[in-house]
Amino acid sequence: MKKLKIGTLINDNNKLGVITKVIKMGTLDVAVDIINWRANYEVHYIDGIVSILGCKTLERLIKEDKIQIVFTPTTPLPPSSSSSEILRETMHQREQDQQRKRKNRRKEC
Protein backbone atom coordinates (compact mmCIF):
# COMPACT_ATOMS: atom_id res chain seq x y z
CA MET A 1 0.00 0.00 0.00
CA LYS A 2 1.25 3.46 -0.80
CA LYS A 3 1.77 5.99 1.97
CA LEU A 4 -1.35 8.07 2.64
CA LYS A 5 -1.14 11.86 2.66
CA ILE A 6 -2.43 14.50 5.02
CA GLY A 7 -5.95 15.37 3.89
CA THR A 8 -6.90 11.84 2.82
CA LEU A 9 -10.55 11.20 3.63
CA ILE A 10 -11.56 7.77 4.87
CA ASN A 11 -14.85 6.04 5.57
CA ASP A 12 -14.43 3.98 8.73
CA ASN A 13 -17.63 2.00 9.40
CA ASN A 14 -19.76 4.81 7.91
CA LYS A 15 -17.89 7.45 9.90
CA LEU A 16 -15.97 10.05 7.92
CA GLY A 17 -12.43 10.84 9.01
CA VAL A 18 -9.48 12.81 7.70
CA ILE A 19 -5.79 12.05 8.11
CA THR A 20 -4.40 15.13 9.82
CA LYS A 21 -0.91 13.97 10.65
CA VAL A 22 1.55 11.36 9.42
CA ILE A 23 3.82 10.39 12.28
CA LYS A 24 6.96 8.92 10.76
CA MET A 25 8.83 6.09 12.40
CA GLY A 26 10.82 7.24 15.43
CA THR A 27 9.72 10.91 15.29
CA LEU A 28 7.18 10.93 18.10
CA ASP A 29 8.84 11.49 21.46
CA VAL A 30 6.70 9.80 24.10
CA ALA A 31 7.46 8.17 27.41
CA VAL A 32 4.71 5.58 26.90
CA ASP A 33 5.39 2.31 25.11
CA ILE A 34 1.84 2.03 23.75
CA ILE A 35 2.73 3.57 20.39
CA ASN A 36 4.77 1.19 18.30
CA TRP A 37 7.82 2.64 16.54
CA ARG A 38 6.47 2.51 13.03
CA ALA A 39 4.63 4.97 10.83
CA ASN A 40 1.31 6.04 12.34
CA TYR A 41 -1.60 8.11 11.08
CA GLU A 42 -3.55 10.57 13.19
CA VAL A 43 -7.20 10.54 12.10
CA HIS A 44 -9.83 13.09 13.12
CA TYR A 45 -13.41 11.82 12.79
CA ILE A 46 -16.53 13.94 12.30
CA ASP A 47 -17.82 13.05 15.76
CA GLY A 48 -14.72 14.63 17.35
CA ILE A 49 -12.80 11.44 18.07
CA VAL A 50 -9.07 11.55 17.34
CA SER A 51 -7.36 8.24 16.74
CA ILE A 52 -3.84 7.11 15.95
CA LEU A 53 -3.74 4.13 13.61
CA GLY A 54 -0.59 2.21 12.79
CA CYS A 55 0.26 1.85 9.11
CA LYS A 56 -0.02 -1.96 9.21
CA THR A 57 -3.38 -1.81 10.98
CA LEU A 58 -4.74 0.73 8.51
CA GLU A 59 -3.43 -1.33 5.59
CA ARG A 60 -5.15 -4.47 6.94
CA LEU A 61 -8.45 -2.66 7.53
CA ILE A 62 -8.39 -1.29 3.98
CA LYS A 63 -7.70 -4.76 2.56
CA GLU A 64 -10.57 -6.17 4.64
CA ASP A 65 -12.78 -3.35 3.26
CA LYS A 66 -13.58 -2.11 6.77
CA ILE A 67 -12.06 1.25 5.85
CA GLN A 68 -12.47 2.80 2.41
CA ILE A 69 -10.46 5.69 1.01
CA VAL A 70 -12.99 8.33 -0.06
CA PHE A 71 -10.60 10.97 -1.38
CA THR A 72 -6.85 11.23 -1.83
CA PRO A 73 -5.43 14.73 -2.35
CA THR A 74 -3.08 15.16 -5.29
CA THR A 75 -0.70 17.09 -3.03
CA PRO A 76 -0.52 16.82 0.74
CA LEU A 77 -2.14 19.60 2.72
CA PRO A 78 0.19 21.80 4.71
CA PRO A 79 0.57 20.71 8.34
CA SER A 80 -0.95 23.99 9.51
CA SER A 81 -4.34 23.17 7.98
CA SER A 82 -7.06 23.01 10.59
CA SER A 83 -8.64 19.59 10.75
CA SER A 84 -11.95 21.11 11.86
CA GLU A 85 -12.00 23.30 8.74
CA ILE A 86 -11.25 20.29 6.53
CA LEU A 87 -14.01 18.27 8.18
CA ARG A 88 -16.49 21.14 7.92
CA GLU A 89 -15.77 21.63 4.22
CA THR A 90 -15.92 17.88 3.57
CA MET A 91 -19.22 17.50 5.40
CA HIS A 92 -20.65 20.42 3.43
CA GLN A 93 -19.56 18.81 0.15
CA ARG A 94 -20.95 15.45 1.23
CA GLU A 95 -24.31 16.99 2.15
CA GLN A 96 -24.48 18.73 -1.23
CA ASP A 97 -23.69 15.46 -3.01
CA GLN A 98 -26.40 13.63 -1.06
CA GLN A 99 -28.94 16.35 -1.87
CA ARG A 100 -28.07 16.12 -5.59
CA LYS A 101 -28.46 12.34 -5.48
CA ARG A 102 -31.86 12.66 -3.80
CA LYS A 103 -33.05 15.18 -6.41
CA ASN A 104 -31.79 13.02 -9.29
CA ARG A 105 -33.38 9.91 -7.81
CA ARG A 106 -36.74 11.63 -7.63
CA LYS A 107 -36.51 12.75 -11.25
CA GLU A 108 -35.77 9.22 -12.43
CA CYS A 109 -38.96 7.72 -10.94
Side-chain angles (χ1 to χ4, degrees), residues 14-51:
N14 292 323
K15 190 166 49 170
L16 192 63
V18 63
I19 294 177
T20 55
K21 191 183 295 181
V22 178
I23 306 167
K24 296 181 181 169
M25 185 170 27
T27 58
L28 187 62
D29 185 24
V30 293
V32 182
D33 293 335
I34 295 174
I35 297 176
N36 197 352
W37 291 113
R38 60 171 187 242
N40 293 287
Y41 295 100
E42 183 179 86
V43 181
H44 286 242
Y45 292 96
I46 58 173
D47 59 1
I49 293 175
V50 178
S51 179

Side-chain angles (χ1 to χ4, degrees), residues 31-81:
V32 182
D33 293 335
I34 295 174
I35 297 176
N36 197 352
W37 291 113
R38 60 171 187 242
N40 293 287
Y41 295 100
E42 183 179 86
V43 181
H44 286 242
Y45 292 96
I46 58 173
D47 59 1
I49 293 175
V50 178
S51 179
I52 295 180
L53 296 171
C55 63
K56 296 289 184 187
T57 302
L58 189 59
E59 183 178 324
R60 179 180 50 81
L61 292 171
I62 290 171
K63 283 182 182 178
E64 292 174 358
D65 206 32
K66 293 180 180 176
I67 292 180
Q68 297 84 31
I69 297 175
V70 176
F71 174 76
T72 304
T74 54
T75 58
L77 298 175
S80 61
S81 294

